[in-house]
């Protein structure tokens, strides 16, 4: 069964460093999402992406964040200058071409630890 | 302000029991998702529904759009059902092409053998 994959599973970085979290969505999906979950808190929407551009973004998704689909398979989240409060689990998700009302399939997550 | 409220927050059950987890929301929605989060953190989509009822194996999800309420039921619960169950809603969108999910805090279910 096709699945969303994410790498790395755990990333440890120093405050102020840049990190890139990678996702490979399901191959025929066209809508991509990033979510984050701070430990002990609820999952929060960061950004959605379609047709090579951001469709929606939350207040959390400020200038330190960017997303990119550098090739036909990868979808990346870059955090430019990490802060302690960026420590969280980051989930990528994708959905089918029918869009908003399609079920979203989640990746296993990347645990980001900022020291 | 919590737009999505789940109850209970924690639930302990004996194997075989019938389980109900509730979700109430305050916004107009296009659809509601039930998700399962395993202890390792991974999230699995269980259901997406916008009306009525869906069933998959021992899991049943219902939604009442007028009352802004959904329930997730697990019949004949098993220790392997132990996980966090998350309700997430897709708000009605008034012009954008994409929507973002608004998540509840989750219900932690523990099923004892």
């Amino acid at each position: 069964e096709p699945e969303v994959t994410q790498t790395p599973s755990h990333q440890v970085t120093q405050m102020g460093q840049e990190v890139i979290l990678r996702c490979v969505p399901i191959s025929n999906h066209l809508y991509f999402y990033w979510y984050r979950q701070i430990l002990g808190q609820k999952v929060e929407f960061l950004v959605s992406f379609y047709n090579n551009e951001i469709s929606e973004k939350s207040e959390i998704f400020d200038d330190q964040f960017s997303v990119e689909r550098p090739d036909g398979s990868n979808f990346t989240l870059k955090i430019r200058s990490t802060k302690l409060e960026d420590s969280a689990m980051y989930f990528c998700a994708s959905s089918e071409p029918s869009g908003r009302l399609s079920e979203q399939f989640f990746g296993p997550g990347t645990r980001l630890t900022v020291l | 302000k919590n737009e999505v409220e789940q109850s209970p927050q924690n639930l302990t059950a004996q194997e075989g029991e019938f389980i109900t987890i509730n979700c109430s929301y305050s916004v107009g929605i296009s659809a509601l998702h039930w998700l399962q989060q395993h202890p390792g953190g991974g999230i699995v989509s269980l259901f997406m529904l916008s009306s009525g009822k869906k069933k998959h194996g021992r899991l049943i999800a219902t939604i009442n759009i007028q009352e802004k309420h959904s329930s997730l039921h697990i019949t004949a619960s098993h220790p392997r059902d132990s996980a966090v169950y998350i309700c997430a809603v897709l708000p009605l969108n008034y012009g954008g092409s994409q929507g973002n999910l608004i998540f509840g805090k989750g219900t932690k279910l523990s099923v004892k053998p």
Side-chain angles (χ1 to χ4, degrees), chain A residues 1-114:
Chain A
E1 188 176 319
E3 57 183 19
V4 177
T5 59
Q6 290 185 242
T7 54
S9 56
H10 191 190
Q11 173 93 46
V12 181
T13 190
Q14 294 290 326
M15 190 169 59
Q17 295 295 304
E18 175 183 286
V19 294
I20 297 176
L21 310 183
R22 291 184 166 79
C23 169
V24 178
I26 293 173
S27 62
N28 67 327
H29 287 187
L30 297 179
Y31 294 83
F32 314 117
Y33 314 84
W34 282 102
Y35 297 91
R36 81 168 185 194
Q37 184 178 34
I38 295 171
L39 186 64
Q41 298 187 22
K42 63 182 180 179
V43 179
E44 300 171 291
F45 169 77
L46 290 178
V47 66
S48 60
F49 190 87
Y50 170 70
N51 200 26
N52 282 320
E53 59 182 24
I54 291 173
S55 301
E56 278 188 71
K57 58 183 182 178
S58 72
E59 293 172 354
I60 304 167
F61 194 88
D62 60 22
D63 291 344
Q64 70 164 147
F65 292 94
S66 62
V67 289
E68 195 177 33
R69 188 154 162 84
D71 54 44
S73 58
N74 289 284
F75 179 51
T76 62
L77 174 69
K78 182 191 290 186
I79 309 175
R80 254 179 281 282
S81 177
T82 49
K83 305 172 197 165
L84 295 176
E85 54 265 36
D86 294 328
S87 294
M89 193 80 157
Y90 288 81
F91 294 100
C92 171
S94 68
S95 63
E96 287 181 338
S98 51
R100 294 187 74 250
L101 293 184
S102 295
E103 189 172 358
Q104 293 185 26
F105 292 82
F106 287 80
T110 292
R111 184 170 300 281
L112 176 65
T113 302
V114 182

Side-chain angles (χ1 to χ4, degrees), chain B residues 16-88:
Chain B
E17 283 185 4
F18 180 82
I19 287 160
T20 296
I21 299 170
N22 295 298
C23 176
S24 296
Y25 51 92
S26 58
V27 296
I29 67 168
S30 301
L32 181 144
H33 295 249
W34 280 103
L35 309 164
Q36 182 190 54
Q37 186 169 31
H38 294 284
I43 293 175
V44 174
S45 177
L46 299 174
F47 295 104
M48 185 186 75
L49 62 165
S50 53
S51 65
K53 176 178 171 178
K54 285 191 176 180
K55 185 176 190 291
H56 185 242
R58 295 180 295 106
L59 301 178
I60 303 166
T62 63
I63 188 167
N64 185 319
I65 294 291
Q66 287 74 30
E67 295 187 3
K68 293 189 165 70
H69 181 268
S70 175
S71 293
L72 176 69
H73 306 285
I74 305 175
T75 60
S77 59
H78 191 275
R80 65 174 174 265
D81 297 326
S82 299
V84 175
Y85 291 84
I86 301 171
C87 171

